Short mmCIF file of all heavy atoms in Angstrom, two decimals:
data_model
loop_
_atom_site.label_atom_id
_atom_site.label_comp_id
_atom_site.label_asym_id
_atom_site.label_seq_id
_atom_site.Cartn_x
_atom_site.Cartn_y
_atom_site.Cartn_z
N GLY T 49 60.67 149.56 152.42
CA GLY T 49 60.89 149.20 153.82
C GLY T 49 60.89 150.40 154.74
O GLY T 49 60.29 150.36 155.82
N VAL T 50 61.53 151.47 154.34
CA VAL T 50 61.56 152.68 155.15
C VAL T 50 60.16 153.27 155.29
O VAL T 50 59.76 153.72 156.37
CB VAL T 50 62.54 153.72 154.54
CG1 VAL T 50 62.38 155.08 155.17
CG2 VAL T 50 63.97 153.23 154.71
N GLY T 51 59.39 153.25 154.21
CA GLY T 51 58.01 153.74 154.28
C GLY T 51 57.17 152.93 155.24
O GLY T 51 56.38 153.49 156.03
N ILE T 52 57.33 151.63 155.22
CA ILE T 52 56.57 150.77 156.14
C ILE T 52 56.99 151.02 157.58
O ILE T 52 56.14 151.10 158.49
CB ILE T 52 56.74 149.29 155.75
CG1 ILE T 52 56.02 149.01 154.43
CG2 ILE T 52 56.23 148.37 156.84
CD1 ILE T 52 56.31 147.64 153.86
N ILE T 53 58.29 151.15 157.81
CA ILE T 53 58.80 151.36 159.17
C ILE T 53 58.22 152.64 159.77
O ILE T 53 57.69 152.64 160.88
CB ILE T 53 60.34 151.43 159.17
CG1 ILE T 53 60.93 150.04 158.93
CG2 ILE T 53 60.87 152.00 160.48
CD1 ILE T 53 62.40 150.04 158.64
N PHE T 54 58.32 153.74 159.04
CA PHE T 54 57.86 155.01 159.61
C PHE T 54 56.34 155.12 159.64
O PHE T 54 55.78 155.76 160.53
CB PHE T 54 58.51 156.19 158.89
CG PHE T 54 59.95 156.37 159.28
CD1 PHE T 54 60.96 156.05 158.40
CD2 PHE T 54 60.28 156.83 160.53
CE1 PHE T 54 62.29 156.20 158.76
CE2 PHE T 54 61.60 156.99 160.91
CZ PHE T 54 62.61 156.67 160.02
N GLY T 55 55.67 154.48 158.69
CA GLY T 55 54.21 154.48 158.72
C GLY T 55 53.67 153.73 159.93
O GLY T 55 52.79 154.21 160.65
N ASN T 56 54.23 152.54 160.17
CA ASN T 56 53.79 151.76 161.33
C ASN T 56 54.25 152.39 162.64
O ASN T 56 53.55 152.29 163.65
CB ASN T 56 54.29 150.32 161.23
CG ASN T 56 53.57 149.55 160.15
OD1 ASN T 56 52.46 149.91 159.75
ND2 ASN T 56 54.19 148.50 159.67
N GLY T 57 55.40 153.03 162.61
CA GLY T 57 55.87 153.72 163.82
C GLY T 57 54.95 154.88 164.20
O GLY T 57 54.69 155.11 165.38
N THR T 58 54.48 155.60 163.20
CA THR T 58 53.55 156.70 163.47
C THR T 58 52.24 156.18 164.04
O THR T 58 51.68 156.76 164.98
CB THR T 58 53.29 157.48 162.17
OG1 THR T 58 54.53 157.94 161.65
CG2 THR T 58 52.36 158.66 162.41
N GLN T 59 51.75 155.07 163.51
CA GLN T 59 50.54 154.47 164.06
C GLN T 59 50.75 154.01 165.50
O GLN T 59 49.89 154.19 166.36
CB GLN T 59 50.10 153.29 163.21
CG GLN T 59 49.50 153.67 161.89
CD GLN T 59 49.05 152.44 161.11
OE1 GLN T 59 49.15 151.32 161.56
NE2 GLN T 59 48.55 152.69 159.90
N ALA T 60 51.92 153.42 165.76
CA ALA T 60 52.20 152.95 167.12
C ALA T 60 52.30 154.11 168.10
O ALA T 60 51.82 154.00 169.23
CB ALA T 60 53.50 152.15 167.12
N LEU T 61 52.90 155.21 167.67
CA LEU T 61 52.98 156.39 168.55
C LEU T 61 51.61 156.98 168.82
O LEU T 61 51.34 157.48 169.92
CB LEU T 61 53.89 157.45 167.93
CG LEU T 61 55.38 157.17 168.02
CD1 LEU T 61 56.16 158.18 167.19
CD2 LEU T 61 55.84 157.22 169.46
N ALA T 62 50.73 156.92 167.83
CA ALA T 62 49.38 157.45 168.03
C ALA T 62 48.59 156.57 169.00
O ALA T 62 47.76 157.07 169.77
CB ALA T 62 48.65 157.53 166.69
N ARG T 63 48.85 155.27 169.00
CA ARG T 63 48.10 154.37 169.88
C ARG T 63 48.65 154.32 171.28
O ARG T 63 47.90 154.14 172.24
CB ARG T 63 48.10 152.96 169.27
CG ARG T 63 47.30 152.87 168.00
CD ARG T 63 47.39 151.51 167.39
NE ARG T 63 46.76 151.52 166.08
CZ ARG T 63 46.14 150.50 165.56
NH1 ARG T 63 46.06 149.36 166.21
NH2 ARG T 63 45.59 150.59 164.38
N GLN T 64 49.99 154.40 171.42
CA GLN T 64 50.62 154.34 172.74
C GLN T 64 51.69 155.41 172.86
O GLN T 64 52.88 155.16 172.69
CB GLN T 64 51.27 152.97 172.95
CG GLN T 64 50.33 151.94 173.47
CD GLN T 64 51.09 150.70 173.89
OE1 GLN T 64 51.98 150.25 173.19
NE2 GLN T 64 50.72 150.15 175.04
N PRO T 65 51.32 156.62 173.16
CA PRO T 65 52.30 157.70 173.25
C PRO T 65 53.31 157.51 174.38
O PRO T 65 54.41 158.03 174.32
CB PRO T 65 51.46 158.95 173.50
CG PRO T 65 50.05 158.56 173.40
CD PRO T 65 49.96 157.09 173.34
N GLU T 66 52.95 156.74 175.41
CA GLU T 66 53.88 156.54 176.53
C GLU T 66 55.06 155.65 176.16
O GLU T 66 56.06 155.63 176.86
CB GLU T 66 53.15 155.96 177.75
CG GLU T 66 52.58 154.56 177.56
CD GLU T 66 51.18 154.54 176.96
OE1 GLU T 66 50.65 155.60 176.60
OE2 GLU T 66 50.64 153.42 176.83
N ALA T 67 54.97 154.93 175.05
CA ALA T 67 56.07 154.06 174.61
C ALA T 67 56.89 154.72 173.51
O ALA T 67 57.54 154.05 172.71
CB ALA T 67 55.51 152.74 174.11
N ALA T 68 56.91 156.04 173.48
CA ALA T 68 57.56 156.77 172.40
C ALA T 68 59.05 156.47 172.31
O ALA T 68 59.59 156.32 171.21
CB ALA T 68 57.34 158.27 172.56
N GLY T 69 59.73 156.38 173.43
CA GLY T 69 61.17 156.13 173.41
C GLY T 69 61.52 154.79 172.78
O GLY T 69 62.42 154.70 171.94
N LEU T 70 60.83 153.75 173.18
CA LEU T 70 61.09 152.42 172.65
C LEU T 70 60.72 152.33 171.16
O LEU T 70 61.48 151.76 170.36
CB LEU T 70 60.30 151.37 173.44
CG LEU T 70 60.46 149.93 173.00
CD1 LEU T 70 61.90 149.47 173.21
CD2 LEU T 70 59.51 149.05 173.78
N ILE T 71 59.61 152.92 170.79
CA ILE T 71 59.17 152.88 169.39
C ILE T 71 60.16 153.63 168.52
O ILE T 71 60.56 153.16 167.45
CB ILE T 71 57.75 153.46 169.26
CG1 ILE T 71 56.75 152.55 169.97
CG2 ILE T 71 57.38 153.65 167.79
CD1 ILE T 71 55.38 153.16 170.14
N ARG T 72 60.59 154.80 168.96
CA ARG T 72 61.53 155.61 168.17
C ARG T 72 62.87 154.89 168.01
O ARG T 72 63.48 154.91 166.95
CB ARG T 72 61.72 156.96 168.83
CG ARG T 72 62.40 157.96 167.93
CD ARG T 72 62.33 159.36 168.48
NE ARG T 72 60.95 159.83 168.49
CZ ARG T 72 60.30 160.27 169.57
NH1 ARG T 72 60.90 160.30 170.73
NH2 ARG T 72 59.06 160.68 169.48
N THR T 73 63.33 154.22 169.07
CA THR T 73 64.58 153.46 168.99
C THR T 73 64.47 152.34 167.96
O THR T 73 65.38 152.14 167.15
CB THR T 73 64.93 152.87 170.37
OG1 THR T 73 65.03 153.92 171.32
CG2 THR T 73 66.24 152.10 170.31
N ASN T 74 63.36 151.63 167.99
CA ASN T 74 63.16 150.55 167.02
C ASN T 74 63.04 151.09 165.60
O ASN T 74 63.50 150.45 164.64
CB ASN T 74 61.94 149.72 167.38
CG ASN T 74 62.19 148.87 168.61
OD1 ASN T 74 63.32 148.53 168.91
ND2 ASN T 74 61.13 148.55 169.31
N GLN T 75 62.44 152.25 165.44
CA GLN T 75 62.34 152.86 164.12
C GLN T 75 63.72 153.19 163.57
O GLN T 75 64.02 152.94 162.41
CB GLN T 75 61.53 154.15 164.17
CG GLN T 75 60.06 153.99 164.09
CD GLN T 75 59.37 155.35 164.05
OE1 GLN T 75 59.77 156.28 164.75
NE2 GLN T 75 58.34 155.46 163.25
N ILE T 76 64.55 153.77 164.39
CA ILE T 76 65.89 154.17 163.94
C ILE T 76 66.73 152.94 163.59
O ILE T 76 67.45 152.94 162.59
CB ILE T 76 66.58 155.04 165.01
CG1 ILE T 76 65.86 156.38 165.10
CG2 ILE T 76 68.05 155.24 164.69
CD1 ILE T 76 66.28 157.25 166.26
N MET T 77 66.61 151.88 164.37
CA MET T 77 67.35 150.65 164.05
C MET T 77 66.87 150.04 162.73
O MET T 77 67.67 149.62 161.90
CB MET T 77 67.21 149.64 165.18
CG MET T 77 68.01 150.01 166.41
SD MET T 77 67.81 148.84 167.76
CE MET T 77 68.26 147.31 166.99
N GLY T 78 65.57 149.99 162.53
CA GLY T 78 65.02 149.47 161.28
C GLY T 78 65.44 150.31 160.08
O GLY T 78 65.77 149.78 159.01
N PHE T 79 65.43 151.63 160.26
CA PHE T 79 65.87 152.53 159.20
C PHE T 79 67.33 152.27 158.83
O PHE T 79 67.69 152.23 157.66
CB PHE T 79 65.66 153.98 159.64
CG PHE T 79 66.18 154.98 158.66
CD1 PHE T 79 65.51 155.23 157.49
CD2 PHE T 79 67.35 155.66 158.92
CE1 PHE T 79 65.99 156.16 156.58
CE2 PHE T 79 67.84 156.59 158.02
CZ PHE T 79 67.16 156.84 156.85
N ALA T 80 68.17 152.10 159.84
CA ALA T 80 69.60 151.86 159.59
C ALA T 80 69.80 150.55 158.83
O ALA T 80 70.63 150.49 157.91
CB ALA T 80 70.36 151.83 160.91
N PHE T 81 69.06 149.51 159.17
CA PHE T 81 69.20 148.24 158.47
C PHE T 81 68.73 148.35 157.02
O PHE T 81 69.35 147.79 156.11
CB PHE T 81 68.45 147.12 159.19
CG PHE T 81 69.07 146.72 160.50
CD1 PHE T 81 68.28 146.48 161.60
CD2 PHE T 81 70.44 146.59 160.63
CE1 PHE T 81 68.84 146.11 162.81
CE2 PHE T 81 71.02 146.23 161.82
CZ PHE T 81 70.22 145.98 162.93
N CYS T 82 67.64 149.07 156.79
CA CYS T 82 67.16 149.24 155.41
C CYS T 82 68.15 150.04 154.58
O CYS T 82 68.42 149.71 153.42
CB CYS T 82 65.80 149.96 155.42
SG CYS T 82 64.44 148.89 155.84
N GLU T 83 68.73 151.08 155.14
CA GLU T 83 69.70 151.87 154.40
C GLU T 83 70.98 151.09 154.16
O GLU T 83 71.64 151.28 153.15
CB GLU T 83 70.00 153.18 155.13
CG GLU T 83 68.85 154.15 155.08
CD GLU T 83 68.44 154.50 153.66
OE1 GLU T 83 69.32 154.79 152.83
OE2 GLU T 83 67.24 154.47 153.37
N ALA T 84 71.34 150.20 155.08
CA ALA T 84 72.51 149.35 154.86
C ALA T 84 72.29 148.46 153.64
O ALA T 84 73.22 148.23 152.86
CB ALA T 84 72.80 148.51 156.10
N LEU T 85 71.07 147.97 153.46
CA LEU T 85 70.78 147.15 152.27
C LEU T 85 70.94 147.97 150.99
O LEU T 85 71.44 147.47 149.98
CB LEU T 85 69.37 146.59 152.36
CG LEU T 85 69.14 145.50 153.39
CD1 LEU T 85 67.67 145.13 153.45
CD2 LEU T 85 69.98 144.29 153.08
N ALA T 86 70.53 149.22 151.02
CA ALA T 86 70.68 150.08 149.84
C ALA T 86 72.15 150.32 149.53
O ALA T 86 72.57 150.30 148.37
CB ALA T 86 69.95 151.40 150.05
N LEU T 87 72.95 150.53 150.56
CA LEU T 87 74.38 150.75 150.34
C LEU T 87 75.06 149.48 149.83
O LEU T 87 75.96 149.55 148.99
CB LEU T 87 75.04 151.23 151.64
CG LEU T 87 74.65 152.64 152.06
CD1 LEU T 87 75.26 152.96 153.41
CD2 LEU T 87 75.07 153.65 151.03
N ILE T 88 74.66 148.34 150.33
CA ILE T 88 75.21 147.08 149.82
C ILE T 88 74.85 146.93 148.35
O ILE T 88 75.67 146.47 147.54
CB ILE T 88 74.69 145.89 150.65
CG1 ILE T 88 75.33 145.91 152.03
CG2 ILE T 88 74.97 144.57 149.95
CD1 ILE T 88 74.72 144.91 153.01
N GLY T 89 73.66 147.33 147.97
CA GLY T 89 73.24 147.25 146.57
C GLY T 89 74.10 148.11 145.66
O GLY T 89 74.48 147.68 144.57
N ILE T 90 74.46 149.31 146.08
CA ILE T 90 75.29 150.17 145.23
C ILE T 90 76.73 149.66 145.18
O ILE T 90 77.38 149.72 144.15
CB ILE T 90 75.24 151.64 145.67
CG1 ILE T 90 75.82 152.52 144.57
CG2 ILE T 90 75.96 151.88 146.96
CD1 ILE T 90 75.58 153.99 144.76
N VAL T 91 77.22 149.08 146.27
CA VAL T 91 78.59 148.55 146.28
C VAL T 91 78.69 147.33 145.37
O VAL T 91 79.70 147.14 144.69
CB VAL T 91 79.03 148.24 147.73
CG1 VAL T 91 80.31 147.45 147.76
CG2 VAL T 91 79.18 149.54 148.51
N MET T 92 77.68 146.49 145.37
CA MET T 92 77.73 145.29 144.55
C MET T 92 77.79 145.64 143.05
O MET T 92 78.39 144.90 142.27
CB MET T 92 76.51 144.41 144.80
CG MET T 92 76.55 143.68 146.11
SD MET T 92 77.99 142.61 146.20
CE MET T 92 78.65 143.09 147.77
N GLY T 93 77.22 146.75 142.68
CA GLY T 93 77.34 147.19 141.29
C GLY T 93 78.77 147.46 140.89
O GLY T 93 79.20 147.20 139.77
N PHE T 94 79.56 148.00 141.82
CA PHE T 94 80.97 148.26 141.54
C PHE T 94 81.82 147.00 141.67
O PHE T 94 82.79 146.83 140.96
CB PHE T 94 81.51 149.34 142.48
CG PHE T 94 80.92 150.69 142.23
CD1 PHE T 94 80.13 151.30 143.19
CD2 PHE T 94 81.14 151.34 141.04
CE1 PHE T 94 79.58 152.54 142.96
CE2 PHE T 94 80.60 152.59 140.80
CZ PHE T 94 79.81 153.19 141.76
#
Side-chain angles (χ1 to χ4, degrees):
V50 168
I52 290 171
I53 288 169
F54 285 108
N56 289 338
T58 303
Q59 286 182 3
L61 284 171
R63 292 176 188 213
Q64 274 190 317
E66 65 273 4
L70 180 64
I71 293 168
R72 194 168 294 124
T73 302
N74 289 334
Q75 275 184 320
I76 292 171
M77 287 179 55
F79 175 75
F81 290 138
C82 282
E83 289 302 314
L85 289 175
L87 291 175
I88 289 170
I90 194 168
V91 169
M92 286 300 130
F94 292 115

